[in-house]
Amino acid sequence: MDAFDTAELAPSSEIAPVGCIPYEKEYEGYWRALRGAIQREEVSDRGATISDLLIDNNPGHYTAWEYRRKWAVQEGLVNEEIEYATEQVVSNPKNYQVWHHHRRLVEILDKPVDALELTQDSLEQDAKNYHAWSYRQWIVKKFDLFSNELEFVSKLIDADVRNNSAWNYRYFLIRETKFDPHSRVVEEPSLVQETSYAIRKSRLAPHNESPWNYIRALARLARIPLADVVGLVDAVRPSNPQTTIENRFTAHMYADILTESDSSADKEAAAKLFQKLMESDPCRRRFWEHKLSTLQKSISRP
């Protein structure tokens, strides 16, 4: 039977669907053909051809990708299928099923193949592609490919200091390479270097939240108070606390540092900062009210 002869490959359903999606007849024919092959447990070159036609019309067709994996494994064509998957990733970089297919093939081969190069090329096109970042995290951790990653992500942050995805990946690298999960300790030199790095980057774009979130995450990871982060207090302390808030991120950080203090005077200063933030940042007024309320409850608690 010809791969394009789809008329009798799948029996018609006796169940009437609630709503029918008006597929193109050509696409519906391909899908009927693949369903027929699956029902007959047929894994063949013809089925692979049909799955290819389906993917050309709908790269998110999960069943077509699953069929191709079974076919590639059966025929011993996993390496060739990875080349096909790579081409599809390049054409459809925001498609989850394409990345998932590539990952499953890498798992089958148990080697990274072209995964680092593929994600790098994808991130050069779109430095905030979630699928590429997620895949790179997985591939680096699975195959222990950390050696050049800090340099890689530094270049992306240099290119765009506001790239929150790159900052998130940098945190992943520090957590995986500089943090001892048993002692729950972050290597002191790395902690100092990374917070200093984030503070320097914050000066390039003072109203960029990413480096401040990065510092908070490192402090939580290391289980240390914000006040103990080397250089942080001096970086965020306002020159004149009585003036209007100029930067909500530094003001927020400094208020949280004061909140952690045992000093009642520091907590009162934090409360005043939250009140000023309510005035200067009305879009987030409810958030600052919550912060102030939480602080006041902690002060009144015996």
Side-chain angles (χ1 to χ4, degrees), residues 40-271:
R40 290 191 304 275
E41 298 184 355
E42 171 196 339
V43 181
S44 63
D45 291 351
R46 181 186 56 168
T49 299
I50 296 168
S51 68
D52 187 24
L53 293 168
L54 268 172
I55 288 166
D56 281 346
N57 282 271
N58 177 14
H61 200 298
Y62 180 87
T63 305
W65 286 114
E66 181 69 18
Y67 185 92
R68 288 194 66 85
R69 278 195 296 280
K70 291 180 180 179
W71 166 78
V73 171
Q74 173 182 287
E75 301 299 321
L77 296 172
V78 177
N79 282 298
E80 290 79 359
E81 184 65 11
I82 278 207
E83 293 179 7
Y84 173 82
T86 298
E87 292 173 0
Q88 289 292 331
V89 166
V90 172
S91 301
N92 303 281
K94 295 294 186 74
N95 187 297
Y96 168 77
Q97 281 78 11
V98 179
W99 287 99
H100 178 70
H101 183 60
H102 198 284
R103 170 172 170 167
R104 291 294 304 276
L105 295 172
V106 167
E107 287 177 324
I108 292 167
L109 290 176
D110 198 26
K111 58 183 180 180
V113 199
D114 62 349
L116 283 183
E117 294 80 3
L118 179 61
T119 55
Q120 180 171 339
D121 290 345
S122 181
L123 291 170
E124 285 175 356
Q125 298 299 316
D126 179 0
K128 300 178 182 179
N129 185 335
Y130 169 80
H131 304 292
W133 281 117
S134 178
Y135 190 30
R136 194 172 183 98
Q137 279 196 20
W138 175 78
I139 207 82
V140 164
K141 186 172 182 178
K142 178 173 178 60
F143 296 102
D144 193 19
L145 301 174
F146 289 98
S147 58
N148 298 316
E149 289 304 284
L150 205 56
E151 179 183 358
F152 166 77
V153 78
S154 294
K155 289 179 179 177
L156 287 173
I157 292 175
D158 287 344
D160 179 9
V161 73
R162 294 177 176 82
N163 186 346
N164 190 57
S165 299
W167 282 102
N168 181 69
Y169 187 70
R170 191 179 188 95
Y171 172 78
F172 158 76
L173 296 176
I174 298 301
R175 187 192 67 203
E176 295 297 325
T177 62
K178 307 298 182 182
F179 174 67
D180 184 342
H182 301 293
S183 63
R184 304 218 36 103
V185 171
V186 179
E187 293 179 9
E188 183 66 21
S190 297
L191 184 60
V192 173
Q193 290 169 9
E194 287 303 302
T195 53
S196 297
Y197 172 85
I199 290 170
R200 289 197 308 274
K201 291 299 181 183
S202 73
R203 297 186 184 117
L204 299 177
H207 297 281
N208 170 31
E209 191 171 7
S210 295
W212 303 115
N213 286 342
Y214 182 66
I215 291 172
R216 288 179 184 277
L218 290 177
R220 283 196 299 270
L221 184 66
R223 292 184 171 183
I224 62 172
L226 289 170
D228 289 349
V229 175
V230 176
L232 180 59
V233 174
D234 290 338
V236 299
R237 181 189 288 117
S239 55
N240 186 350
Q242 305 305 317
T243 60
T244 305
I245 299 294
E246 295 183 357
N247 186 314
R248 67 181 175 90
F249 301 119
T250 56
H252 182 194
M253 184 74 79
Y254 190 59
D256 281 348
I257 290 172
L258 294 174
T259 298
E260 292 177 351
S261 171
D262 293 330
S263 165
S264 57
D266 284 346
K267 291 184 183 297
E268 289 175 7

Side-chain angles (χ1 to χ4, degrees), residues 21-32 54 57:
I21 300 174
Y23 293 119
E24 296 287 341
K25 288 185 178 180
E26 184 180 51
Y27 177 83
E28 177 61 26
Y30 298 148
W31 182 208
R32 283 172 56 83
L54 268 172
N57 282 271

